[in-house]
Amino acid sequence: MQRTLSIIKPDGVARGLIGQVVKRLEESGLTIIAMKMIHMTKAQAEGFYAVHRQRPFFGSLTDFMSSGPAVVMVLEGENAIARYRDLMGATNYKDAAEGTIRRDFATDIEKNVVHGSDAPETAAFEMGYFFNAFEITPR
Ligand code: GDP
């Protein structure tokens, strides 16, 4: 079993896509074991994306991620990190495979609706960034 962090980004929440994203997650067989809505400050978004600090889009990305509420979740399942990355699709929605969340809903390389951890180490950091042990409820 593996766990991964999922975020429905501010564009997804603002556009009323929470239900459609959650439906896809549940239908995929991944289990949502933690979930809450947050509105990150700019500093919290900068901390979350600290690995991207040197990238040219860091300022814009952290402005976007702190621009409104987001839904954060922990997903659990066998091979959950890769399975959820497959459901999300490529970072740039134009390159994302048919039927993926980003292909179907994203409007922009930055405003791409969802985030997912890319490795066990980043998943551990990202889950700990938003959830404490009491907020995670495995079945
Ligand atoms: P991810 O793991 O697929 O989310 O992609 P990355 O870790 O490479 O990038 C993190 C996030 O930064 C992406 O999900 C986008 O929201 C944003 N991003 C990535 N590349 C670009 C870019 O070239 N321009 C802008 N403006 N944002 C980007």
Side-chain angles (χ1 to χ4, degrees):
M1 287 301 243
Q2 197 175 50
R3 292 178 182 180
T4 189
L5 185 90
S6 164
I7 305 179
I8 305 176
K9 296 183 179 184
D11 61 327
V13 173
R15 292 171 56 214
L17 298 173
I18 297 171
Q20 297 193 70
V21 172
V22 168
K23 185 170 196 288
R24 290 184 185 210
L25 298 179
E26 291 185 328
E27 284 177 352
S28 77
L30 292 167
T31 306
I32 300 169
I33 60 169
M35 185 178 208
K36 64 185 168 188
M37 185 174 279
I38 56 157
H39 186 155
M40 276 186 264
T41 64
K42 173 86 169 166
Q44 287 166 342
E46 287 172 348
F48 180 73
Y49 276 121
V51 291
H52 290 315
R53 194 166 285 281
Q54 304 307 326
R55 308 278 284 272
F57 55 82
F58 181 70
S60 170
L61 174 62
T62 52
D63 279 345
F64 162 54
M65 291 300 287
S66 58
S67 68
V71 172
V72 288
M73 291 173 271
V74 175
L75 311 178
E76 185 175 70
E78 241 171 79
N79 206 17
I81 294 173
R83 280 168 63 194
Y84 175 50
R85 297 279 308 181
D86 285 348
L87 288 176
M88 289 197 309
T91 307
N92 188 342
Y93 71 101
K94 291 178 181 167
D95 302 329
E98 299 256 351
T100 59
I101 294 168
R102 285 168 165 172
R103 175 66 173 260
D104 289 346
F105 300 121
T107 55
D108 185 282
I109 189 168
E110 182 175 276
K111 294 175 181 60
N112 56 5
V113 184
V114 282
H115 166 85
S117 312
D118 61 3
E121 300 73 31
T122 46
F125 166 76
E126 293 177 359
M127 292 186 288
Y129 200 76
F130 295 114
F131 294 100
N132 69 48
F134 301 105
E135 296 173 309
I136 296 175
T137 56
R139 306 299 183 274

